[in-house]
Amino acid sequence: MNIVNKLTIRHLKENKRRTLVTILGTIISAAMISAVATLGVSYADLLKKDHIEANGDWHVVYKDLSFEQTEGIRNDSETEILSLIQESGFAKLEDPPTKNKPYLFIQKMNEEAYEQFSVEISEGRLPQSEDELIISESAEDVHLEIGDTLTLEVGTRYSDSTWAVEQGEFLTNDNQVDMDEEGNQIETLIDTEEMTYTIVGSFERPGWERGWSPSYMALSSLDLTKPLMSETMDAYVSLNSLNRSLYDHASGLAEELDISSVSFNGGLLQLSGITASDTMDRTRLGLLVVIISIIIIGSVALIFNAFAISVSERSRHLGMLSSVGATKKQKRNSVFFEGFIVGIISIPIGILSGIAGIAVTFAVINPIIDSIGLDESLKVVVTPFSMVAAVLISAATIFISTWLPAHRASRITAMDAIRQTHDIKLKNKTVRTSNYVRKWLGLEAELGLKNLKRNKKRYHITVLSLIVSIVLFLSVSYFTQSLKQSYQLAEDTVNYDVQVYTTEEEILPELLERIGELTDVTDYQLRKETNLTMYVDEDEIAPEINKSHIMQDEDGRYIYSVNLTALDEKSLHDYAKQAGFDGNLNDTELAAIVVDDISYEDYELGKYIETKAIRTEVGRTLPLFEENWETNKRKDLPPLTVSVLTGEVPMGPKNQGPGSLEVIVSESTFESILSETEEAFVNQSVYMTSDNPTVTQMELEQLEFFNQFAIDNLHDIRESDAQMITVISVFIYGFITLITLISLANILNTISTGVALRKREFAMLRSVGMTQASFKKMMMYESAFYGIKSLFYGIPISIAIMYLIYYQTQYGFTYTFQVPWLHVLGVIVAIFGIVSLAMLYSLAKTKQETIIEGLTQENQ
């Protein structure tokens, strides 16, 4: 080790306080990099586990395969795990607990499938042959016990109803029971075969068993030693390697083996970083580059601050080296060597601190996740790649951060160090302030401003630290909010638990009354809907909408489908208030609320779009008409007046997309329009939310007029949507809290260090008679100057980065850019408050020192 490095180590040991401050700044930076890497990997792991729980752990599925085709897939070089599932069919229960679940649905699975689809045995064991069954715990009301022997007629569901014929007459497990108007089952089982099973166990209800399905799940073993030529099966494949080529490879394999149906587990592949869409890949890559760049720049600024303060304080030491013949290279290398020593100590501590911080954060978050019923919880996942990346990024940021201070150090001469010309500027022009500062704010404000001008490097370092904190917080806040908005665009969320549908209008009053008496029902809403038409000019269509998706007539006019919806009086009043309408829409004839905000997936462009359904304004009319598409006869209807434009959607399904418009009116207006039509068909449904949808469904089924309506329970889907939104929200606020704490540590570290280096200055001011009150006032003004300057630069830079993040999302999503002004306001208040508290806290630590101690003390 050369003499300059030895002197550097000695100087670090002698100046413990400055060394600790430098190490602390570097630890904070390394902790931020490590925490972000760990958080991202752990969160992706949670989403993957949750998706696997709900859909299984597979990448590609091939449908309706022969035994020979499955062997071809098994022998493919890319196949890692092959799960085979064969549907035995449906068996009718003798005494089902509910009309909507009259079946057992029996599937055969090989050993790999049981593992890949997360089948967890709760009692008994797995089936070992095709005549053994395990029953889902959801069938507890069926009263089947382990050891029971069942002789069942297993077959295929068949119905000749119009809607069933349209899908090929055969009903799947996704189709509810087909009933007539009296509530009697009109579907049958065909191609039945008598089969005998022994129940050998029960299994926990998996996420892929839907609560609204017409059957209870039962699983058997798939015996591949005796495949039947007439039976087909589905192959779910986990691949050896995941990359974009898997789509072409799977399609090519399907063509080679003459397989007609191949599809992909898009959700799991996306969470693994693989998409079939170039636009989504560009979005993902762009966001990754932006957020990593923000973190690296923030880290460089954090560490640069520490080393800039270090070089400023070491100016005498560097001048001493220069006076005894040290070259520029040796002085520069002494700073690089200091960075190396600091990195060796700080990076391991920082990375471990970041991981520990995430572990503590997860310990706080997991009870929240458990409370919303999510099966999986956040676990700290540390991968070799994420840790190597964190070490390399931390090392790179230390090197980049020391580059400028090192070159600055190389230029310090012995005379510069004695005069302190690199730090202290005493020219009159440099420290000149406006006369209005003293006149309006007093001597303390003028002194505070002169202090900042006198040592601009320290001032700029502090301001830079504040700017970095502002940019980090606002950028990460907008980034995480963009993630949430993108998820909500990509997923059609359900806002109700149970739907009751009827064509019998005369039962509606009693039905609503009885629903209102159900104790578990928290809210309900009657919707009457009919579909009408209107013409729209081209300039009324938002530019984000792909006009090729909208129908045009022979004259080139665009045709919009209008979903006219009437709400019951109470629901309409509540909804109108929510939409921002002050009056009573029930008393306003031909008044309408137009849902003009829509979101949909444009498959042609490969992106999700949020935009306006139509460009209109309050007070304009909607020229509705009814058109008979067979005779091409058109009948004009009374025009509706737009009273409110809103993005709020009433309870029920969303009727959104290009060329469609959701219009909400009162029942009286609805009847007025309907009376002018000739062939309009009306759908009538009651949508409700419930604390216990299963109990609510059973209570509805016990009504004496149950045969006059149908029930659809979508609670599982709604609960899944709500859980994911909650998890994303928890992640967002956890991430923002993490960045906030790091920013606070950065601000407190920088300001307290800056104040600690000014002990001699404070002692000198006390020596000429400045009181403690004046000190406090001066420091408060300095805080204000720091805050104003940092906000002046920080907010515009943050908005620019927000727009860059927004721009990257537009490859896969289209929505309007909005600055989160509430967060900006919070940052403004927080900056002034935090800077002031940091100044006062640091100043309080010097309060007890005497003037002599302050004038003679060296920073140790």
Side-chain angles (χ1 to χ4, degrees), residues 83-114:
S83 299
L84 298 174
I85 298 179
Q86 188 178 74
E87 293 185 4
S88 295
F90 294 87
K92 199 161 187 178
L93 295 168
E94 290 185 5
D95 187 21
T98 171
K99 288 184 177 181
N100 292 312
K101 275 185 176 291
Y103 299 113
L104 274 182
F105 180 50
I106 303 170
Q107 288 185 326
K108 301 176 186 177
M109 302 171 69
N110 66 349
E111 290 183 10
E112 291 82 356
Y114 278 105

mmCIF file of all heavy atoms in Angstrom, residues 83-114:
data_model
loop_
_atom_site.group_PDB
_atom_site.id
_atom_site.type_symbol
_atom_site.label_atom_id
_atom_site.label_comp_id
_atom_site.label_asym_id
_atom_site.label_seq_id
_atom_site.Cartn_x
_atom_site.Cartn_y
_atom_site.Cartn_z
ATOM 1 N N SER A 83 -48.546 -32.072 -17.533
ATOM 2 C CA SER A 83 -49.722 -32.397 -16.721
ATOM 3 C C SER A 83 -50.867 -32.756 -17.648
ATOM 4 O O SER A 83 -51.212 -31.979 -18.544
ATOM 5 C CB SER A 83 -50.118 -31.196 -15.855
ATOM 6 O OG SER A 83 -49.078 -30.855 -14.966
ATOM 7 N N LEU A 84 -51.466 -33.922 -17.434
ATOM 8 C CA LEU A 84 -52.551 -34.399 -18.293
ATOM 9 C C LEU A 84 -53.853 -34.447 -17.504
ATOM 10 O O LEU A 84 -53.891 -34.947 -16.372
ATOM 11 C CB LEU A 84 -52.227 -35.786 -18.841
ATOM 12 C CG LEU A 84 -50.978 -35.876 -19.734
ATOM 13 C CD1 LEU A 84 -50.686 -37.316 -20.101
ATOM 14 C CD2 LEU A 84 -51.147 -35.014 -20.980
ATOM 15 N N ILE A 85 -54.910 -33.910 -18.101
ATOM 16 C CA ILE A 85 -56.231 -33.896 -17.474
ATOM 17 C C ILE A 85 -57.243 -34.407 -18.482
ATOM 18 O O ILE A 85 -57.260 -33.979 -19.646
ATOM 19 C CB ILE A 85 -56.611 -32.472 -17.007
ATOM 20 C CG1 ILE A 85 -55.626 -31.973 -15.948
ATOM 21 C CG2 ILE A 85 -58.039 -32.454 -16.460
ATOM 22 C CD1 ILE A 85 -55.911 -30.571 -15.462
ATOM 23 N N GLN A 86 -58.081 -35.304 -18.012
ATOM 24 C CA GLN A 86 -59.124 -35.873 -18.873
ATOM 25 C C GLN A 86 -60.464 -35.735 -18.160
ATOM 26 O O GLN A 86 -60.594 -36.095 -16.992
ATOM 27 C CB GLN A 86 -58.835 -37.350 -19.147
ATOM 28 C CG GLN A 86 -59.751 -37.992 -20.172
ATOM 29 C CD GLN A 86 -59.348 -39.434 -20.416
ATOM 30 O OE1 GLN A 86 -59.584 -40.300 -19.590
ATOM 31 N NE2 GLN A 86 -58.705 -39.679 -21.557
ATOM 32 N N GLU A 87 -61.450 -35.195 -18.848
ATOM 33 C CA GLU A 87 -62.778 -35.024 -18.273
ATOM 34 C C GLU A 87 -63.568 -36.325 -18.379
ATOM 35 O O GLU A 87 -63.821 -36.810 -19.478
ATOM 36 C CB GLU A 87 -63.536 -33.895 -18.969
ATOM 37 C CG GLU A 87 -62.937 -32.520 -18.738
ATOM 38 C CD GLU A 87 -63.798 -31.421 -19.344
ATOM 39 O OE1 GLU A 87 -64.894 -31.738 -19.866
ATOM 40 O OE2 GLU A 87 -63.372 -30.253 -19.306
ATOM 41 N N SER A 88 -63.941 -36.872 -17.224
ATOM 42 C CA SER A 88 -64.833 -38.039 -17.243
ATOM 43 C C SER A 88 -66.253 -37.601 -17.541
ATOM 44 O O SER A 88 -66.993 -38.284 -18.247
ATOM 45 C CB SER A 88 -64.780 -38.761 -15.898
ATOM 46 O OG SER A 88 -63.508 -39.306 -15.665
ATOM 47 N N GLY A 89 -66.653 -36.439 -16.980
ATOM 48 C CA GLY A 89 -67.979 -35.908 -17.253
ATOM 49 C C GLY A 89 -68.710 -35.506 -15.991
ATOM 50 O O GLY A 89 -68.123 -35.389 -14.904
ATOM 51 N N PHE A 90 -70.027 -35.309 -16.128
ATOM 52 C CA PHE A 90 -70.883 -34.858 -15.036
ATOM 53 C C PHE A 90 -71.737 -36.019 -14.523
ATOM 54 O O PHE A 90 -72.205 -36.851 -15.312
ATOM 55 C CB PHE A 90 -71.810 -33.734 -15.510
ATOM 56 C CG PHE A 90 -71.081 -32.473 -15.892
ATOM 57 C CD1 PHE A 90 -70.593 -32.307 -17.180
ATOM 58 C CD2 PHE A 90 -70.891 -31.459 -14.963
ATOM 59 C CE1 PHE A 90 -69.916 -31.146 -17.540
ATOM 60 C CE2 PHE A 90 -70.219 -30.286 -15.321
ATOM 61 C CZ PHE A 90 -69.732 -30.137 -16.604
ATOM 62 N N ALA A 91 -71.910 -36.024 -13.198
ATOM 63 C CA ALA A 91 -72.806 -37.021 -12.590
ATOM 64 C C ALA A 91 -73.811 -36.284 -11.728
ATOM 65 O O ALA A 91 -73.444 -35.413 -10.934
ATOM 66 C CB ALA A 91 -72.005 -38.009 -11.744
ATOM 67 N N LYS A 92 -75.108 -36.645 -11.906
ATOM 68 C CA LYS A 92 -76.149 -35.940 -11.167
ATOM 69 C C LYS A 92 -76.222 -36.452 -9.730
ATOM 70 O O LYS A 92 -76.204 -37.662 -9.478
ATOM 71 C CB LYS A 92 -77.501 -36.128 -11.863
ATOM 72 C CG LYS A 92 -78.527 -35.099 -11.462
ATOM 73 C CD LYS A 92 -79.653 -35.042 -12.474
ATOM 74 C CE LYS A 92 -80.583 -33.880 -12.154
ATOM 75 N NZ LYS A 92 -81.660 -33.760 -13.147
ATOM 76 N N LEU A 93 -76.291 -35.502 -8.780
ATOM 77 C CA LEU A 93 -76.429 -35.851 -7.368
ATOM 78 C C LEU A 93 -77.877 -36.220 -7.060
ATOM 79 O O LEU A 93 -78.806 -35.638 -7.629
ATOM 80 C CB LEU A 93 -75.987 -34.669 -6.493
ATOM 81 C CG LEU A 93 -74.502 -34.287 -6.591
ATOM 82 C CD1 LEU A 93 -74.256 -32.945 -5.913
ATOM 83 C CD2 LEU A 93 -73.630 -35.368 -5.983
ATOM 84 N N GLU A 94 -78.059 -37.150 -6.163
ATOM 85 C CA GLU A 94 -79.418 -37.576 -5.818
ATOM 86 C C GLU A 94 -80.195 -36.476 -5.102
ATOM 87 O O GLU A 94 -81.366 -36.247 -5.384
ATOM 88 C CB GLU A 94 -79.355 -38.831 -4.940
ATOM 89 C CG GLU A 94 -78.903 -40.080 -5.669
ATOM 90 C CD GLU A 94 -78.975 -41.302 -4.774
ATOM 91 O OE1 GLU A 94 -79.468 -41.160 -3.631
ATOM 92 O OE2 GLU A 94 -78.550 -42.392 -5.207
ATOM 93 N N ASP A 95 -79.552 -35.805 -4.171
ATOM 94 C CA ASP A 95 -80.245 -34.782 -3.389
ATOM 95 C C ASP A 95 -79.334 -33.555 -3.251
ATOM 96 O O ASP A 95 -78.757 -33.306 -2.185
ATOM 97 C CB ASP A 95 -80.610 -35.337 -2.011
ATOM 98 C CG ASP A 95 -81.494 -34.362 -1.219
ATOM 99 O OD1 ASP A 95 -82.121 -33.494 -1.857
ATOM 100 O OD2 ASP A 95 -81.523 -34.480 0.021
ATOM 101 N N PRO A 96 -79.210 -32.783 -4.337
ATOM 102 C CA PRO A 96 -78.301 -31.630 -4.283
ATOM 103 C C PRO A 96 -78.816 -30.570 -3.307
ATOM 104 O O PRO A 96 -80.029 -30.352 -3.200
ATOM 105 C CB PRO A 96 -78.311 -31.111 -5.728
ATOM 106 C CG PRO A 96 -79.600 -31.579 -6.302
ATOM 107 C CD PRO A 96 -79.881 -32.897 -5.649
ATOM 108 N N PRO A 97 -77.913 -29.876 -2.573
ATOM 109 C CA PRO A 97 -78.348 -28.851 -1.613
ATOM 110 C C PRO A 97 -78.925 -27.619 -2.285
ATOM 111 O O PRO A 97 -79.634 -26.840 -1.657
ATOM 112 C CB PRO A 97 -77.062 -28.536 -0.845
ATOM 113 C CG PRO A 97 -75.951 -28.959 -1.743
ATOM 114 C CD PRO A 97 -76.467 -30.111 -2.524
ATOM 115 N N THR A 98 -78.641 -27.399 -3.567
ATOM 116 C CA THR A 98 -79.167 -26.251 -4.287
ATOM 117 C C THR A 98 -79.419 -26.622 -5.738
ATOM 118 O O THR A 98 -78.730 -27.477 -6.309
ATOM 119 C CB THR A 98 -78.195 -25.045 -4.222
ATOM 120 O OG1 THR A 98 -78.639 -24.013 -5.104
ATOM 121 C CG2 THR A 98 -76.793 -25.454 -4.610
ATOM 122 N N LYS A 99 -80.418 -25.983 -6.349
ATOM 123 C CA LYS A 99 -80.746 -26.253 -7.753
ATOM 124 C C LYS A 99 -79.628 -25.833 -8.696
ATOM 125 O O LYS A 99 -79.518 -26.358 -9.803
ATOM 126 C CB LYS A 99 -82.023 -25.509 -8.146
ATOM 127 C CG LYS A 99 -83.304 -26.080 -7.536
ATOM 128 C CD LYS A 99 -84.499 -25.329 -8.083
ATOM 129 C CE LYS A 99 -85.814 -25.918 -7.562
ATOM 130 N NZ LYS A 99 -86.987 -25.209 -8.102
ATOM 131 N N ASN A 100 -78.823 -24.876 -8.254
ATOM 132 C CA ASN A 100 -77.784 -24.347 -9.131
ATOM 133 C C ASN A 100 -76.508 -25.187 -9.125
ATOM 134 O O ASN A 100 -75.585 -24.912 -9.882
ATOM 135 C CB ASN A 100 -77.434 -22.904 -8.728
ATOM 136 C CG ASN A 100 -78.568 -21.948 -9.016
ATOM 137 O OD1 ASN A 100 -79.133 -21.967 -10.102
ATOM 138 N ND2 ASN A 100 -78.922 -21.117 -8.049
ATOM 139 N N LYS A 101 -76.446 -26.205 -8.250
ATOM 140 C CA LYS A 101 -75.283 -27.103 -8.218
ATOM 141 C C LYS A 101 -75.776 -28.553 -8.113
ATOM 142 O O LYS A 101 -75.638 -29.183 -7.064
ATOM 143 C CB LYS A 101 -74.376 -26.762 -7.038
ATOM 144 C CG LYS A 101 -73.355 -25.658 -7.287
ATOM 145 C CD LYS A 101 -72.441 -25.510 -6.094
ATOM 146 C CE LYS A 101 -71.360 -24.488 -6.344
ATOM 147 N NZ LYS A 101 -70.376 -24.908 -7.334
ATOM 148 N N PRO A 102 -76.307 -29.090 -9.193
ATOM 149 C CA PRO A 102 -76.868 -30.457 -9.105
ATOM 150 C C PRO A 102 -75.883 -31.562 -9.491
ATOM 151 O O PRO A 102 -76.259 -32.726 -9.517
ATOM 152 C CB PRO A 102 -78.013 -30.401 -10.118
ATOM 153 C CG PRO A 102 -77.527 -29.450 -11.165
ATOM 154 C CD PRO A 102 -76.664 -28.442 -10.475
ATOM 155 N N TYR A 103 -74.592 -31.194 -9.797
ATOM 156 C CA TYR A 103 -73.688 -32.197 -10.371
ATOM 157 C C TYR A 103 -72.407 -32.372 -9.552
ATOM 158 O O TYR A 103 -71.982 -31.490 -8.808
ATOM 159 C CB TYR A 103 -73.259 -31.781 -11.785
ATOM 160 C CG TYR A 103 -74.372 -31.644 -12.784
ATOM 161 C CD1 TYR A 103 -74.705 -30.408 -13.313
ATOM 162 C CD2 TYR A 103 -75.080 -32.758 -13.242
ATOM 163 C CE1 TYR A 103 -75.719 -30.270 -14.251
ATOM 164 C CE2 TYR A 103 -76.090 -32.633 -14.180
ATOM 165 C CZ TYR A 103 -76.410 -31.382 -14.682
ATOM 166 O OH TYR A 103 -77.409 -31.257 -15.618
ATOM 167 N N LEU A 104 -71.789 -33.524 -9.771
ATOM 168 C CA LEU A 104 -70.367 -33.719 -9.520
ATOM 169 C C LEU A 104 -69.672 -33.632 -10.874
ATOM 170 O O LEU A 104 -70.167 -34.188 -11.871
ATOM 171 C CB LEU A 104 -70.081 -35.102 -8.923
ATOM 172 C CG LEU A 104 -70.172 -35.318 -7.411
ATOM 173 C CD1 LEU A 104 -69.787 -36.755 -7.077
ATOM 174 C CD2 LEU A 104 -69.308 -34.341 -6.642
ATOM 175 N N PHE A 105 -68.568 -32.919 -10.928
ATOM 176 C CA PHE A 105 -67.797 -32.844 -12.169
ATOM 177 C C PHE A 105 -66.493 -33.614 -11.937
ATOM 178 O O PHE A 105 -65.679 -33.249 -11.098
ATOM 179 C CB PHE A 105 -67.503 -31.382 -12.529
ATOM 180 C CG PHE A 105 -66.717 -31.227 -13.803
ATOM 181 C CD1 PHE A 105 -67.107 -31.873 -14.966
ATOM 182 C CD2 PHE A 105 -65.577 -30.426 -13.845
ATOM 183 C CE1 PHE A 105 -66.391 -31.739 -16.138
ATOM 184 C CE2 PHE A 105 -64.856 -30.277 -15.017
ATOM 185 C CZ PHE A 105 -65.268 -30.920 -16.163
ATOM 186 N N ILE A 106 -66.313 -34.724 -12.663
ATOM 187 C CA ILE A 106 -65.217 -35.654 -12.400
ATOM 188 C C ILE A 106 -64.136 -35.491 -13.461
ATOM 189 O O ILE A 106 -64.415 -35.512 -14.666
ATOM 190 C CB ILE A 106 -65.733 -37.108 -12.381
ATOM 191 C CG1 ILE A 106 -66.841 -37.249 -11.327
ATOM 192 C CG2 ILE A 106 -64.594 -38.077 -12.102
ATOM 193 C CD1 ILE A 106 -67.579 -38.569 -11.389
ATOM 194 N N GLN A 107 -62.916 -35.301 -12.992
ATOM 195 C CA GLN A 107 -61.756 -35.202 -13.877
ATOM 196 C C GLN A 107 -60.696 -36.200 -13.444
ATOM 197 O O GLN A 107 -60.506 -36.456 -12.258
ATOM 198 C CB GLN A 107 -61.148 -33.788 -13.832
ATOM 199 C CG GLN A 107 -61.973 -32.730 -14.524
ATOM 200 C CD GLN A 107 -61.237 -31.391 -14.546
ATOM 201 O OE1 GLN A 107 -60.515 -31.074 -13.614
ATOM 202 N NE2 GLN A 107 -61.421 -30.639 -15.606
ATOM 203 N N LYS A 108 -59.990 -36.743 -14.433
ATOM 204 C CA LYS A 108 -58.835 -37.602 -14.162
ATOM 205 C C LYS A 108 -57.562 -36.773 -14.351
ATOM 206 O O LYS A 108 -57.453 -35.993 -15.308
ATOM 207 C CB LYS A 108 -58.807 -38.789 -15.124
ATOM 208 C CG LYS A 108 -60.034 -39.690 -15.077
ATOM 209 C CD LYS A 108 -59.930 -40.766 -16.150
ATOM 210 C CE LYS A 108 -61.187 -41.609 -16.236
ATOM 211 N NZ LYS A 108 -61.102 -42.608 -17.336
ATOM 212 N N MET A 109 -56.599 -36.948 -13.435
ATOM 213 C CA MET A 109 -55.357 -36.188 -13.501
ATOM 214 C C MET A 109 -54.176 -37.113 -13.243
ATOM 215 O O MET A 109 -54.253 -38.012 -12.397
ATOM 216 C CB MET A 109 -55.366 -35.052 -12.466
ATOM 217 C CG MET A 109 -56.518 -34.075 -12.629
ATOM 218 S SD MET A 109 -56.686 -32.893 -11.260
ATOM 219 C CE MET A 109 -55.244 -31.889 -11.500
ATOM 220 N N ASN A 110 -53.062 -36.873 -13.967
ATOM 221 C CA ASN A 110 -51.846 -37.628 -13.659
ATOM 222 C C ASN A 110 -51.140 -36.988 -12.462
ATOM 223 O O ASN A 110 -51.549 -35.928 -11.963
ATOM 224 C CB ASN A 110 -50.936 -37.737 -14.888
ATOM 225 C CG ASN A 110 -50.372 -36.386 -15.311
ATOM 226 O OD1 ASN A 110 -50.799 -35.337 -14.834
ATOM 227 N ND2 ASN A 110 -49.404 -36.412 -16.218
ATOM 228 N N GLU A 111 -50.068 -37.607 -11.986
ATOM 229 C CA GLU A 111 -49.398 -37.144 -10.778
ATOM 230 C C GLU A 111 -48.890 -35.714 -10.934
ATOM 231 O O GLU A 111 -48.972 -34.903 -10.006
ATOM 232 C CB GLU A 111 -48.226 -38.080 -10.433
ATOM 233 C CG GLU A 111 -48.649 -39.455 -9.954
ATOM 234 C CD GLU A 111 -47.448 -40.305 -9.564
ATOM 235 O OE1 GLU A 111 -46.333 -39.747 -9.483
ATOM 236 O OE2 GLU A 111 -47.630 -41.518 -9.347
ATOM 237 N N GLU A 112 -48.341 -35.397 -12.100
ATOM 238 C CA GLU A 112 -47.816 -34.052 -12.332
ATOM 239 C C GLU A 112 -48.913 -33.008 -12.229
ATOM 240 O O GLU A 112 -48.694 -31.902 -11.714
ATOM 241 C CB GLU A 112 -47.144 -33.980 -13.708
ATOM 242 C CG GLU A 112 -45.852 -34.766 -13.841
ATOM 243 C CD GLU A 112 -46.076 -36.238 -14.121
ATOM 244 O OE1 GLU A 112 -47.244 -36.686 -14.145
ATOM 245 O OE2 GLU A 112 -45.085 -36.945 -14.327
ATOM 246 N N ALA A 113 -50.101 -33.321 -12.701
ATOM 247 C CA ALA A 113 -51.210 -32.367 -12.670
ATOM 248 C C ALA A 113 -51.617 -32.040 -11.237
ATOM 249 O O ALA A 113 -51.943 -30.899 -10.912
ATOM 250 C CB ALA A 113 -52.404 -32.905 -13.453
ATOM 251 N N TYR A 114 -51.615 -33.054 -10.361
ATOM 252 C CA TYR A 114 -51.965 -32.796 -8.959
ATOM 253 C C TYR A 114 -51.012 -31.779 -8.329
ATOM 254 O O TYR A 114 -51.407 -30.938 -7.534
ATOM 255 C CB TYR A 114 -51.935 -34.106 -8.161
ATOM 256 C CG TYR A 114 -53.196 -34.916 -8.312
ATOM 257 C CD1 TYR A 114 -53.225 -36.057 -9.098
ATOM 258 C CD2 TYR A 114 -54.365 -34.521 -7.672
ATOM 259 C CE1 TYR A 114 -54.380 -36.809 -9.247
ATOM 260 C CE2 TYR A 114 -55.530 -35.269 -7.810
ATOM 261 C CZ TYR A 114 -55.539 -36.404 -8.601
ATOM 262 O OH TYR A 114 -56.704 -37.125 -8.733
#
